Amino acid sequence: MSGARLCIGFIPLVDAGALIVAVDKGFTAAEGLDVELVREVSWSNVRDKLNIGLFDAAHLLAPVAIASSLGLGHVKVPIVAAFGLGLNGNAITVSPALHAAIAAQADGDIGDPMVTARALARVVAGRRMQGEAPLTFGMTFPYSTHNYQLRFWMAAGGVDPDQDIRLVVLPPPYMVESIVKKHVDGFCVGAPWNSVAVDLGVGHILHFVSEILQRAAEKVLAVRARWASENPDVFARLIRAHGKAAAYIGDAANREEVAAILAAPDRIGVAAEVIRRTLDGRLKISPDGTYRASERYLLIGRAGAARPDPVHAAWLYAQMVRWGQALMSAEALAEARATFRPDLYDSILGAAPLPSGEPADRIGAFTGPAFDPNDIGAHLNGWKIRRR
Amino acid sequence: MDLTLKIVIVDESPVRSAIIEEGLREAGYSHVVRVAETANLLARIYAIDPDVIVIDLENPSRDVLEQMFQVSRVVKRPIAMFVDQSDAASIQASVDAGVSAYIVGGLAKERVRSILDLCISRFNAFSRLQAELEQAKTALSDRKIIDRAKGILMKAKNLSEEEAYSLMRSTAMREKKKIVEIAQSVITAAEMLK
């Protein structure tokens, strides 16, 4: 087996775990790969450096991989995602003031996203009547799961995310400061930023995104399609190393060690204890010390999270169409789906059927009909609030 | 060269952005605005309404600028020079220097090429300055450590300054270490033996 040098970019987030563990536990070295991990500060940097070939592979937002394949808002560079780094993992956090307002308007269990979405609609209407400025929510990138999860949730309650509130992009490390300074009233972001806001007493976690969608592709291991076809052997070795790393993380017995590996200053660089909470899916959701726990909070290397699912790509593309980022076309849908490559995953790691107990449509949205990836038109027509 | 272009520099390093602004002004560009504060960045940029945005690649706010690509909100759509794949050498120079530029409102790329080139050279100059400063700092602290160790040896072994220095140097050579490392061990040992 010949050695190969690879340069791989990542953002310091817990869902870069499989990549970091693959390198730091020696799974890549065992495959004859010499990997240099490069920590980046923005998704724009990761995408651009992958696109122009400075990175061989990257930890990438699933919708950015699709947008890049489709050439949305940017140059068109076909991307291949043959390994899923994680499902879910984000949460929606609101300021204490907005939390109180939502609680006051809630007509049921505030843990139910439909109850909170409807309450939010009443808060928004009340503010408009009073002539107050619209609420502002932060998210991490225009083509991000965070953006689509926030929109999906609030639109279900009757809030139009483009007309009724303001959505702004904020780098995750700035989220907490922005809620303190009242530049935003809430945000959707990954770990550890929701917990940081709660610990500081400036935010309440309203929902884990897994309460909104049971399975949402969050990050993928992305490579250029051209690189994958020119380096099939190296690519296969990289995927194999990731398979081992993700399984290692998926085994709850290894969580202590995994948290310590990821906590290193040149990796994620936050306290191991915070990473451990994320892996356990047990988060303090309120400054008063209330906890919420969910096995589904962040899925890495379990519940079939590693095998990329074209249904998820279709769902993400449907959100891009719903919110006016992409035009509806059968060709674009096919290209989006083809970005996710379970066939490559199966050929390298072996076929892996979806475990039982997972939602039948493989999305599991909290509201609306089951998602049909072959009929996106019907999916979109089912929603009153959308761009045309 | 179009000297009437309005240029915004987004950089958290006030020193570097001052260096860039100075360079642009020297080249004749008079409409230059520096933005260091990242809060409400997009609103501030819309208010300034620039033709060109220069941002350092280590700035997380690059993702904030991506929102300007969304057609639904604004008429003007910026173009990232960084991702123009027609010019690999220019991309490499940008990345190496750590700077990116966005052109707003469909200006021809050639009209702002000189701006990016200038920013790249100023970014590089800043990095060189920083490296030199770092080097000078290290040299100074090495010097202090060696002087202290010399003093300890002179006192303990009754050596002259020159003898103390050459003892450390020969030890360093024998152990294949830096002289400052040997000096540090002398200091550590002396403190333990106090």
Side-chain angles (χ1 to χ4, degrees):
Chain A
M1 201 191 289
S2 62
R5 287 188 62 87
L6 297 177
C7 187
I8 305 181
F10 75 101
I11 296 281
L13 294 166
V14 177
D15 56 23
L19 170 60
I20 295 170
V21 168
V23 175
D24 292 348
K25 276 292 285 181
F27 294 122
T28 46
E31 293 286 343
L33 303 174
D34 179 8
V35 176
E36 184 196 352
L37 286 180
V38 179
R39 187 158 87 165
E40 279 293 344
V41 295
S42 70
W43 291 114
S44 315
N45 277 8
V46 173
R47 175 202 56 201
D48 292 349
K49 290 184 181 180
L50 178 68
N51 285 355
I52 63 180
L54 291 173
F55 290 154
D56 301 299
H59 163 234
L60 199 62
L61 282 161
V64 173
I66 293 165
S68 194
S69 285
L70 298 178
L72 293 177
H74 232 276
V75 281
K76 180 170 175 147
V77 178
I79 295 293
V80 159
F83 196 87
L85 293 175
L87 300 180
N88 311 338
N90 304 318
I92 296 172
T93 292
V94 294
S95 69
L98 181 54
H99 186 259
I102 288 172
Q105 294 290 345
D107 53 12
D109 177 9
I110 199 168
D112 176 348
M114 188 52 96
V115 169
T116 53
R118 286 196 188 120
L120 179 71
R122 287 191 280 273
V123 172
V124 163
R127 290 177 71 96
R128 189 182 294 130
M129 292 240 297
Q130 299 290 322
E132 289 174 278
L135 293 167
T136 304
F137 284 81
M139 45 84 178
T140 59
F141 204 73
Y143 300 99
S144 69
T145 35
H146 318 77
N147 185 16
Y148 306 135
Q149 286 156 350
L150 263 180
R151 287 169 177 268
F152 189 87
W153 164 66
M154 62 177 67
V159 177
D160 186 320
D162 292 312
Q163 311 289 331
D164 299 335
I165 59 129
R166 287 189 305 173
L167 271 174
V168 296
V169 170
L170 281 176
Y174 298 167
M175 292 281 179
V176 175
E177 189 194 340
S178 297
I179 208 166
V180 170
K181 291 191 170 164
K182 301 193 192 313
H183 292 142
V184 297
D185 302 285
F187 51 71
C188 183
V189 71
W193 305 109
N194 298 287
S195 296
V196 173
V198 172
D199 286 344
L200 287 173
V202 298
H204 291 248
I205 294 178
L206 199 59
H207 294 296
F208 295 172
V209 295
S210 55
E211 296 158 18
I212 294 164
L213 305 156
Q214 288 183 55
R215 294 177 73 81
E218 177 57 36
K219 306 288 173 7
V220 294
L221 179 72
V223 301
R224 293 181 304 286
R226 198 170 148 189
W227 184 90
S229 62
E230 285 171 355
N231 303 278
D233 174 54
V234 173
F235 188 40
R237 285 192 251 159
L238 184 63
I239 299 297
R240 266 201 300 274
H242 273 78
K244 288 177 191 145
Y248 197 81
I249 297 172
D251 183 347
N254 299 325
R255 275 187 193 152
E256 201 68 40
E257 184 195 353
V258 167
I261 292 172
L262 301 186
D266 59 342
R267 297 307 187 221
I268 300 177
V270 302
E273 194 270 329
V274 175
I275 294 173
R276 177 72 207 250
R277 270 196 263 168
T278 305
L279 293 171
D280 288 344
R282 185 169 184 276
L283 269 60
K284 189 161 101 175
I285 59 164
S286 155
D288 72 13
T290 312
Y291 275 80
R292 188 177 295 175
S294 168
E295 274 293 306
R296 305 198 70 84
Y297 171 63
L298 170 63
L299 296 172
I300 299 176
R302 57 196 171 98
R307 187 176 186 264
D309 189 341
V311 172
H312 292 170
W315 189 86
L316 289 168
Y317 171 70
Q319 309 316 301
M320 293 173 187
V321 175
R322 180 175 181 189
W323 303 116
Q325 290 178 322
L327 294 172
M328 179 66 207
S329 86
E331 295 76 38
L333 172 60
E335 273 183 290
R337 294 185 62 142
T339 302
F340 281 26
R341 295 290 299 273
D343 57 319
L344 287 175
Y345 178 97
D346 290 350
S347 72
I348 297 164
L349 294 171
L354 196 64
S356 62
E358 295 297 317
D361 71 349
R362 313 225 283 270
I363 300 286
F366 77 97
T367 181
F371 180 67
D372 179 358
N374 300 313
D375 194 357
I376 286 189
H379 170 76
L380 294 171
N381 286 333
W383 306 113
K384 226 168 28 198
I385 298 175
R386 57 176 288 203
R387 306 283 77 81
R388 282 173 201 279
Chain B
M1 219 155 72
D2 186 346
L3 297 174
T4 61
L5 292 180
K6 195 188 279 184
I7 304 165
V8 164
I9 304 164
V10 182
D11 195 335
E12 286 171 307
S13 161
V15 178
R16 182 167 56 196
S17 67
I19 290 174
I20 295 162
E21 179 179 3
E22 186 195 73
L24 289 167
R25 288 193 187 279
E26 274 171 15
Y29 295 99
S30 52
H31 304 287
V32 184
V33 184
R34 291 196 270 144
V35 177
E37 177 77 16
T38 47
N40 280 330
L41 179 65
L42 216 53
R44 298 191 59 180
I45 287 178
Y46 287 150
I48 296 165
D49 192 24
D51 301 297
V52 180
I53 302 161
V54 176
I55 183 165
D56 68 296
L57 286 180
E58 291 312 308
N59 196 326
S61 292
R62 256 203 90 197
D63 283 350
V64 178
L65 298 186
E66 289 289 318
Q67 211 172 2
M68 295 189 299
F69 292 90
Q70 302 295 302
V71 272
S72 58
R73 288 278 166 132
V74 269
V75 188
K76 282 187 169 187
R77 297 187 66 189
I79 302 157
M81 293 196 72
F82 182 49
V83 291
D84 178 355
Q85 294 175 309
S86 60
D87 187 355
S90 167
I91 291 169
Q92 193 64 49
S94 274
V95 173
D96 287 348
V99 63
S100 172
Y102 294 80
I103 316 166
V104 187
L107 286 172
K109 190 175 68 178
E110 290 69 35
R111 291 174 67 197
V112 290
R113 166 54 52 83
S114 62
I115 295 175
L116 185 63
D117 287 347
L118 193 147
C119 292
I120 288 173
S121 77
R122 288 270 157 164
F123 258 67
N124 285 332
F126 177 77
S127 303
R128 273 198 303 277
L129 268 178
Q130 233 179 2
E132 280 168 21
L133 191 67
E134 207 47 53
Q135 236 172 17
K137 269 190 195 158
T138 314
L140 195 66
S141 89
D142 284 4
R143 184 70 208 231
K144 280 185 185 155
I145 292 167
I146 292 166
D147 280 350
R148 246 186 95 194
K150 242 180 350 191
I152 293 167
L153 288 178
M154 284 161 72
K155 210 170 142 194
K157 302 192 63 163
N158 207 8
L159 299 176
S160 73
E161 184 175 348
E162 205 171 320
E163 285 166 336
Y165 186 77
S166 70
L167 176 61
M168 283 197 290
R169 198 180 52 187
S170 57
T171 310
M173 279 165 69
R174 199 172 54 241
E175 298 196 2
K176 295 192 174 61
K177 283 183 173 157
K178 284 185 190 160
I179 194 160
V180 65
E181 290 171 329
I182 298 297
Q184 186 59 57
S185 356
V186 169
I187 295 169
T188 311
E191 277 166 3
M192 285 170 67
L193 292 171
K194 247 183 212 168

